[in-house]
């Protein structure tokens, strides 16, 4: 009889996305421990292990040891983890005033704008290879649609407005 062994995998984008959900809950409830967990375990750690040190960008999948899992697309760069990271780190900056988070937002923003944006036709491509080259020319699909992209725009705009308002009060 075959026994299946579960191989733990990390999807940095999902962890980072969960981070901003948890940070929002921590703010709502005043839970300082949850805030720390959100920032350290769900935002910083996944970005640290998920960032491609050679080519930049956030890997799609990694195994528990930071190596390639069985998914063939493991080292691709997809639009949505970068969206979630921008939301997360801008929100983290708003909640902490720690410039480190603003720098991380800028790092992801700069990578995203220099690799995903279609300068000729507008919009973002969704899928890049490890080197940051477009692998699929289409810009929509079952997962890349107005919901995720619009959420990124709305969240970043709302957070930016709050940061600007807070800065103007100082």
């Amino acid at each position: 009889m075959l026994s299946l062994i579960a191989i733990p995998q990390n999807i940095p984008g999902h962890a980072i996305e969960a981070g901003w959900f948890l940070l929002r809950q921590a703010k709502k409830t005043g839970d300082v421990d949850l805030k720390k967990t959100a920032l350290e375990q769900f935002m910083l750690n996944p970005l640290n292990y998920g960032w491609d040190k050679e080519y930049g960008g956030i890997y799609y999948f990694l195994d528990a040891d930071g190596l390639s899992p069985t998914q063939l697309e493991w080292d691709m760069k997809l639009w949505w983890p970068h969206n979630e990271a921008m939301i997360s780190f801008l929100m983290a900056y708003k909640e902490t005033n720690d410039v480190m988070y603003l720098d991380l937002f800028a790092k992801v923003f700069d990578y995203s704008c220099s690799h995903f944006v279609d300068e000729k036709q507008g919009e973002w491509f969704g899928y890049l290879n490890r080197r940051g080259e477009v692998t699929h020319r289409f810009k929509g699909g079952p997962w890349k649609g107005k919901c995720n992209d619009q959420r990124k725009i709305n969240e970043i705009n709302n957070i930016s407005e709050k940061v600007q308002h807070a800065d103007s009060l100082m």
Side-chain angles (χ1 to χ4, degrees):
M1 177 165 182
L2 281 175
S3 79
L4 299 176
I5 299 172
I7 300 172
Q9 295 183 45
N10 292 311
I11 303 175
H14 281 305
I16 293 169
E17 178 182 29
W20 72 264
F21 294 162
L22 292 171
L23 186 58
R24 184 173 276 168
Q25 181 66 17
K27 179 183 179 193
K28 187 176 185 177
T29 61
D31 188 334
V32 177
D33 291 334
L34 181 59
K35 179 179 179 178
K36 182 178 179 186
T37 297
L39 293 168
E40 293 175 6
Q41 301 302 314
F42 286 86
M43 292 182 187
L44 291 175
N45 284 352
L47 187 71
N48 287 336
Y49 70 68
W51 188 262
D52 184 337
K53 311 283 189 280
E54 185 174 353
Y55 294 103
I58 301 169
Y59 288 115
Y60 188 32
F61 285 103
L62 293 171
D63 76 2
D65 294 321
L67 304 172
S68 62
T70 57
Q71 288 83 356
L72 297 177
E73 71 275 19
W74 74 272
D75 66 347
M76 290 184 74
K77 314 297 172 51
L78 278 62
W79 88 100
W80 70 264
H82 295 80
N83 284 1
E84 301 303 339
M86 285 188 283
I87 293 168
S88 291
F89 291 113
L90 192 57
M91 185 181 291
Y93 171 68
K94 178 183 144 295
E95 296 304 324
T96 66
N97 285 325
D98 186 335
V99 176
M100 171 190 67
Y101 294 110
L102 190 58
D103 291 343
L104 292 172
F105 166 81
K107 176 180 178 175
V108 176
F109 179 85
D110 290 345
Y111 177 87
S112 298
C113 289
S114 64
H115 291 82
F116 288 105
V117 174
D118 181 349
E119 296 287 343
K120 294 178 184 167
Q121 301 293 320
E123 235 280 10
W124 279 28
F125 293 109
Y127 308 94
L128 310 175
N129 65 21
R130 181 172 180 212
R131 292 179 304 279
E133 301 160 337
V134 174
T135 60
H136 299 74
R137 307 259 355 132
F138 59 85
K139 296 181 189 150
W143 302 110
K144 186 178 184 301
K146 292 184 179 186
C147 174
N148 284 334
D149 290 341
Q150 193 60 48
R151 179 172 80 170
K152 171 196 68 186
I153 293 166
N154 289 342
E155 290 292 340
I156 289 174
N157 283 341
N158 290 337
I159 297 166
S160 296
E161 288 172 8
K162 291 174 184 169
V163 167
Q164 288 172 350
H165 178 71
D167 287 348
S168 71
L169 297 176
M170 294 179 169

